């Protein structure tokens, strides 16, 4: 979808592979990297196993959640309800959540950890998930399943592989031509404190024993608040749960990506970038970054370079969560554009995890819109009375054109275009452009 933002990142150069390899006293010396990772997760399942997904079921009784998630991946087309989903590196519960959320889909889960698969199997039996298949299989060998998938979910695994390129290419080869991939990998700059502590653990020869994990957690709590890991340790529970602490600081292998490295990685593995799962943190049009002296310079850059620059300005991103497509996808990759007049026929849908606050709002505003998934407080969006009248009419059923006609005189055409695009870029709404006449029926995707 976007050009490679750097001309020199086309190869998998040695300097780009920032691996951390660590021997564990319970893993025989000389064991290959993949076996080290497998043994690590058998001993330290991650995330923390759960036995109850009832609250998750309640959340997804809301059909707008299904629809909103589908529109993140396929804003211009309606995915089948019976699509084939692969959860690659499913951990202890991720595949069970997908199977519960998408009862019409066929969910296949793979992992190299017997412990993780056992926990997933417990959930499968408890909730009678007949649409879920489990396989102990490495991502690099996923082609052995002999299937293609409409949707692939791989969040938190590729950065632990001995060769992330090989893993990503293997997934790309089994992605259907019009399929979508949800990926997450570590981000370099925000993990500086983690890599400092990983090096500290290596120098001391620490292992992931219960006692050493307890002492390591206590040590981190005593660090100066100025240490690069201090802010991160306050924002996450990974430093209170022993197996999560082991995953963060004692994992036998991990690497991280800057935005330019991520774009180059996708390109050389036959994929195109779709969108960030949450795009406001990467946008020079959102939050405090929109008002800095360099704002005009940022907007003059191509989108990949904008994202790279904003990552540097944010400084604390610890992961990149995004959507990708095959680079040989027929036609254009699904995308939203505000050029021309097509935007007027889009149907906006509020993201169910956003909130509208009306107390103590900035002067000149009547409300502030907040996406609770955002970690940066500057990404709150103040709105005026005219904007609120348009926002209040967004119901997931009516097109932008219908909404604007109903709020006649609230704002000009150009103001409306700017406001709707702002709502979309701030992750307040998703846009449904699936209908042949620009207006699609409300309801769950695939109905």
């Amino acid at each position: 979808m976007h050009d490679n933002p750097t001309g020199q990142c086309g190869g998998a150069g040695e300097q780009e592979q920032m691996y951390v390899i660590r021997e564990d006293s319970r893993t025989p010396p000389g064991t290959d990297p993949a076996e080290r990772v497998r043994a690590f997760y058998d001993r330290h399942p991650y995330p923390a196993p759960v036995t109850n997904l009832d609250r998750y079921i309640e959340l997804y009784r809301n059909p707008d959640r299904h629809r909103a998630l589908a529109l993140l991946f396929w804003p211009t087309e309606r995915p089948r309800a019976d699509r084939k989903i692969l959860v690659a590196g499913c951990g202890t519960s991720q595949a069970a959540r997908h199977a519960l959320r998408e009862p019409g889909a066929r969910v296949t889960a793979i992992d190299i950890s017997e412990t993780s698969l056992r926990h997933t199997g417990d959930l499968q039996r408890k909730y009678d998930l007949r649409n879920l298949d489990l396989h102990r299989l490495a991502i690099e060998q996923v082609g052995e399943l002999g299937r293609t998938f409409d949707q692939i979910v791989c969040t938190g695994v590729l950065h632990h592989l001995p060769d992330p390129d090989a893993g990503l290419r293997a997934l790309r080869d089994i992605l259907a031509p019009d399929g979508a991939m949800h990926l997450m990998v570590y981000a370099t700059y925000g993990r500086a404190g983690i890599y400092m502590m990983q090096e500290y653990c290596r120098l001391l020869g620490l292992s992931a024993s219960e006692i050493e994990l307890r002492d390591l957690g206590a040590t981190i709590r005593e660090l100066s608040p100025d240490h690069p890991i201090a802010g991160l340790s306050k924002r996450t529970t990974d430093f209170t749960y022993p197996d999560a602490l082991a995953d963060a600081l004692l994992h036998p292998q991990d690497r991280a990506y800057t935005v330019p490295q991520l774009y180059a990685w996708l390109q050389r593995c036959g994929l195109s970038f779709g969108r960030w799962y949450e795009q406001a943190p990467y946008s020079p049009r959102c939050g405090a970054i929109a008002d800095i002296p360099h704002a005009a310079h940022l907007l003059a850059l191509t989108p990949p370079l904008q994202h790279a620059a904003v990552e540097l300005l944010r400084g604390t991103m610890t992961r990149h969560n995004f959507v990708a497509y095959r680079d040989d996808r027929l036609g254009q990759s699904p995308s939203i554009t505000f050029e021309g007049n097509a935007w007027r026929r889009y149907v906006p849908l509020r993201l169910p995890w956003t909130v509208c606050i009306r107390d103590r709002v900035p002067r000149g505003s009547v409300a502030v819109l907040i996406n609770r998934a955002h970690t940066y407080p500057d990404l709150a969006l103040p709105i005026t009375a005219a904007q609120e009248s348009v926002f209040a009419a967004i119901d997931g059923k009516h097109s932008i054109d219908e909404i604007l006609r109903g709020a006649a005189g609230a704002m000009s055409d150009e103001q409306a275009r700017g406001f709707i695009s702002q709502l979309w870029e701030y992750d307040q709404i998703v846009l449904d452009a699936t209908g042949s006449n620009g207006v699609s029926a409300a309801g769950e995707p695939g109905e």
Side-chain angles (χ1 to χ4, degrees):
M1 183 177 180
H2 300 307
D3 295 332
N4 182 1
T6 58
Q8 69 271 27
C9 292
E14 189 66 29
Q15 73 279 6
E16 191 180 329
Q17 306 298 325
M18 302 187 299
Y19 298 126
V20 179
I21 305 295
R22 199 175 282 110
E23 294 286 350
D24 190 296
S25 59
R26 289 164 292 185
T27 302
T31 303
D32 72 83
E35 179 58 24
R36 290 193 193 109
V37 173
R38 184 205 63 76
F40 178 86
Y41 279 120
D42 275 345
R43 289 190 295 272
H44 306 286
Y46 184 82
V50 297
T51 59
N52 192 309
L53 295 177
D54 292 352
R55 182 176 177 276
Y56 191 79
I57 295 172
E58 283 302 312
L59 281 176
Y60 280 90
R61 291 193 195 283
N62 177 1
D64 282 347
R65 284 185 173 264
H66 292 269
R67 188 174 174 215
L69 288 176
L71 289 171
L72 284 172
F73 300 105
W74 296 281
T76 61
E77 55 200 76
R78 192 178 292 278
R80 294 164 35 195
D82 62 347
R83 63 189 179 275
K84 292 175 287 185
I85 301 173
L86 172 70
V87 183
C90 61
T92 56
S93 61
Q94 189 181 31
R97 295 173 192 269
H98 275 79
L100 278 169
R101 189 170 82 205
E102 305 290 348
R106 191 76 215 171
V107 180
T108 300
I110 64 171
D111 205 288
I112 57 173
S113 166
E114 293 177 354
T115 303
S116 294
L117 290 171
R118 185 172 67 250
H119 286 295
T120 299
D122 290 343
L123 292 171
Q124 180 185 33
R125 287 184 288 276
K126 178 175 181 176
Y127 291 97
D128 193 24
L129 300 176
R130 301 182 186 184
N131 62 333
L132 175 61
D133 298 321
L134 305 179
H135 301 267
R136 185 170 175 269
L137 189 66
I139 286 176
E140 299 91 333
Q141 279 78 54
V142 70
E144 295 176 10
L145 292 173
R147 308 176 200 169
T148 59
F149 296 89
D150 306 301
Q151 183 176 352
I152 294 176
V153 180
C154 189
T155 54
V157 182
L158 289 163
H159 48 233
H160 289 313
L161 298 184
D163 183 352
D165 286 32
L168 186 57
R169 287 191 182 106
L171 293 177
R172 188 263 188 204
D173 288 345
I174 60 164
L175 181 66
D178 58 350
M181 205 179 286
H182 177 195
L183 303 173
M184 186 277 282
V185 293
Y186 290 149
T188 301
Y189 302 118
R191 287 176 60 83
I194 287 177
Y195 289 125
M196 291 168 67
M197 292 306 299
Q198 285 186 359
E199 178 66 7
Y200 170 83
C201 294
R202 186 190 67 79
L203 290 172
L204 269 62
L206 300 182
S207 68
S209 68
E210 183 178 348
I211 293 175
E212 292 192 334
L213 284 172
R214 182 196 64 200
D215 291 346
L216 179 57
T219 299
I220 290 173
R221 288 191 292 274
E222 293 299 319
L223 293 177
S224 162
D226 294 329
H227 192 284
I229 206 171
L232 183 59
S233 66
K234 289 180 174 65
R235 293 194 303 270
T236 177
T237 59
D238 281 3
F239 295 88
T240 57
Y241 168 56
D243 286 335
L245 182 63
D247 185 76
L249 301 182
L250 293 167
H251 199 288
Q253 180 171 282
D254 83 45
R255 65 145 301 156
Y257 294 82
T258 64
V259 165
Q261 288 171 346
L262 186 149
Y263 272 100
W265 179 49
L266 292 177
Q267 185 180 61
R268 66 176 178 262
C269 293
L271 291 163
S272 64
F273 178 83
R275 60 162 286 160
W276 303 107
Y277 205 75
E278 286 145 12
Q279 54 197 10
Y282 295 85
S283 173
R285 296 178 183 84
C286 296
I289 290 173
D291 296 320
I292 65 173
H294 291 158
H297 294 291
L298 290 172
L299 292 174
L301 299 174
T302 62
L305 291 178
Q306 289 180 6
H307 303 158
V310 175
E311 179 189 24
L312 294 168
L313 291 174
R314 290 282 175 197
T316 55
M317 291 180 179
T318 60
R319 60 188 64 190
H320 297 305
N321 202 352
F322 59 100
V323 178
Y325 307 103
R326 287 177 62 126
D327 63 359
D328 62 353
R329 182 185 177 95
L330 295 176
Q332 293 184 337
S333 296
S335 62
I336 292 295
T337 178
F338 289 91
E339 297 177 2
N341 289 313
W343 63 276
R344 299 185 68 93
R345 297 191 297 274
Y346 296 158
V347 177
L349 173 70
R350 295 189 210 178
L351 288 173
W353 43 91
T354 60
V355 293
C356 180
I357 306 296
R358 291 186 170 82
D359 296 330
R360 292 178 291 179
V361 301
R363 180 173 297 180
S365 304
V366 297
V368 173
L369 306 180
I370 296 173
N371 185 323
R372 289 173 290 184
H374 288 160
T375 58
Y376 295 102
D378 66 295
L379 294 176
L381 177 62
I383 58 174
T384 65
Q387 290 171 333
E388 190 202 23
S389 68
V390 172
F391 180 74
I394 294 175
D395 60 3
K397 299 176 183 178
H398 294 91
S399 70
I400 296 171
D401 193 54
E402 291 171 320
I403 291 169
L404 295 179
R405 287 204 304 269
M411 58 181 69
S412 70
D413 209 59
E414 205 51 42
Q415 289 173 330
R417 184 200 304 262
F419 179 55
I420 296 296
S421 65
Q422 191 177 42
L423 290 174
W424 176 74
E425 200 153 12
Y426 267 84
D427 303 308
Q428 290 294 321
I429 60 172
V430 284
L431 293 164
D432 186 337
T434 60
S436 60
N437 62 353
V439 182
S440 57
E444 195 169 325
E447 287 185 340

